[in-house]
Amino acid sequence: MKPIFVRGISNQFRLTLAIILSVALLVANHRLDPVRQSLSSFFSPLQYLASVPGVALDWSSESFATRNMLALQNKELLRQQLLMSERLQRFEHLRQENERLRALLGSPAYLDSRKMVAEVLEVASDPFHHYAVLNHGSRSGVFVGQPVVDAQGVVGQVVQVSEITSRVLLLSDVSHGLPVRITRNDVRLVANGTGELDEIELRHVAKSTDIRVGDLLVTSGLGNRFPEGYPVARVMEVLTEDGQSYARVTAQPLAALDRIRYLLLIWPSPDSGVTLPSQPTVPAADHSSSDNVSKADSAVPAGGSVTSAEASKPVTAPATKPSTEATPPVAEVH
């Protein structure tokens, strides 16, 4: 016969056990990185399988498109092609003029870096973490800290790599920071995510800083992560309040973070001084300019989970090119 009142485990014992388990997990966090990487590689086929319905839906919608829709799309593409051709003609003139000026000043020209198009398999729905999963991993040479852009501007950077997939931390994430500069006056700032896909903020901006609504923010090149000159955001609001030491500056990312589909992975140019992790051999089709990418040291891990301390470390340049400015934090992943 069972007793009516059964005394279970006390709340104090449960609390003590929870605290012990929490401390043990915090201590063993770094040692669990290989396990996380193995699990990520193991579950990568499931991510491809989960994307099959979306691929099938896209295929069916393209297959059953009406003639009028195709005609409208063709007309719009022709219009965009003409606009892009006109812009390319102007950019070609500016490129030649820039090369002549660099030759006159004796400054080395920037070399084109290797690039690769990647497809988004998954986008996080967690409001506290903004990331996307791409269909390229360490087999394609993707490395932690690699910059990712789309057709409009910077999207984020790679923070975790498995064999066939990689995870990108979006610049709107609260733990992401990116060194930027204003194109109008070259003022250097740091753009931080706010947790909103259509908003980032510039912290610790002095009231006397020359910054206006509409200013374009581009990557400054500091930190040796993002190449210089990629568009990031446009300033939307500048508020200065009495009694506050700093102005409140918000900007809107140029990249369409709420509808990303195809992204561009960028490798640093051979003369950038950025060291890469050791990578497997990649087919020649993925190289846009050259294959003389420098071999890596242990500055950046080739894959696995990234702790907040590791993700915030910038990729170090060789000792022959010491930095003269303090490197701002780039990212912090929880």
Side-chain angles (χ1 to χ4, degrees):
M1 184 175 179
K2 296 182 179 180
I4 298 177
F5 300 101
V6 179
R7 183 176 182 182
I9 302 175
S10 64
N11 293 331
Q12 291 80 359
F13 179 78
R14 295 179 180 178
L15 177 61
T16 304
L17 182 61
I19 293 176
I20 293 175
L21 291 177
S22 300
V23 173
L25 289 175
L26 287 174
V27 173
N29 184 39
H30 295 281
R31 300 181 181 179
L32 294 177
D33 289 346
V35 178
R36 293 192 185 98
Q37 182 178 3
S38 301
L39 290 176
S40 178
S41 299
F42 178 77
F43 288 109
S44 293
L46 296 180
Q47 292 176 334
Y48 279 92
L49 184 62
S51 63
V52 169
V55 174
L57 182 62
D58 293 339
W59 177 83
S60 61
S61 62
E62 292 175 358
S63 300
F64 294 100
T66 63
R67 180 180 179 182
N68 292 333
M69 183 184 300
L70 293 177
L72 291 176
Q73 290 180 353
N74 190 24
K75 185 177 180 180
E76 178 64 19
L77 290 175
L78 282 175
R79 187 185 68 85
Q80 293 181 4
Q81 182 183 6
L82 289 175
L83 293 176
M84 293 298 103
S85 299
E86 190 271 337
R87 292 184 63 183
L88 285 175
Q89 293 175 11
R90 289 189 289 113
F91 287 161
E92 179 64 21
H93 170 71
L94 294 176
R95 185 187 64 81
Q96 295 177 359
E97 183 179 1
N98 191 21
E99 289 181 353
R100 289 194 296 268
L101 292 175
R102 286 184 178 275
L104 183 62
L105 297 174
S107 176
Y110 293 114
L111 298 178
D112 291 336
S113 58
R114 173 191 161 200
K115 304 174 182 66
M116 178 188 294
V117 177
E119 184 179 358
V120 176
L121 297 178
E122 178 189 352
V123 178
S125 58
D126 185 357
F128 301 101
H129 295 88
H130 295 174
Y131 66 86
V133 178
L134 305 183
N135 64 340
H136 287 290
S138 57
R139 290 183 182 178
S140 302
V142 180
F143 60 94
V144 174
Q146 184 168 9
V148 181
V149 302
D150 70 353
Q152 283 76 36
V154 174
V155 172
Q157 62 179 296
V158 176
V159 294
Q160 185 177 350
V161 179
S162 63
E163 285 291 328
I164 55 178
T165 61
S166 56
R167 177 175 294 188
V168 176
L169 184 71
L170 304 183
L171 60 88
S172 59
D173 190 274
V174 293
S175 62
H176 192 280
L178 178 64
V180 297
R181 66 177 178 86
I182 303 175
T183 56
R184 180 173 55 85
N185 53 15
D186 286 338
V187 173
R188 292 174 178 173
L189 304 164
V190 177
N192 298 273
T194 61
E196 301 290 338
L197 290 176
D198 59 347
E199 181 181 301
I200 60 176
E201 64 178 353
L202 306 176
R203 301 174 184 172
H204 309 298
V205 179
K207 291 184 178 180
S208 59
T209 304
D210 182 13
I211 182 171
R212 305 172 187 172
V213 174
D215 282 343
L216 178 63
L217 305 177
V218 299
T219 53
S220 64
L222 297 179
N224 288 334
R225 283 283 178 95
F226 285 83
E228 182 181 1
Y230 280 91
V232 178
R234 193 171 295 277
V235 177
M236 302 300 295
E237 186 180 34
V238 180
L239 295 179
T240 56
E241 300 179 359
D242 296 336
Q244 298 293 332
S245 302
Y246 301 101
R248 183 178 182 273
V249 182
T250 58
Q252 183 178 12
L254 297 179
L257 301 180
D258 57 341
R259 49 185 181 273
I260 51 177
R261 178 67 184 278
Y262 295 99
L263 301 178
L264 195 65
L265 294 163
I266 300 176
W267 277 259
S269 57
D271 62 341
S272 63
V274 179
T275 56
L276 302 179
S278 57
Q279 303 171 12
T281 304
V282 182
D286 291 334
H287 294 264
S288 63
S289 59
S290 64
D291 294 332
N292 56 344
V293 180
S294 60
K295 297 299 180 180
D297 54 13
S298 59
V300 181
S305 176
V306 182
T307 62
S308 59
E310 292 172 348
S312 61
K313 292 180 181 178
V315 180
T316 56
T320 56
K321 296 175 65 178
S323 177
T324 58
E325 301 186 29
T327 303
V330 178
E332 183 178 357
V333 183
H334 300 283

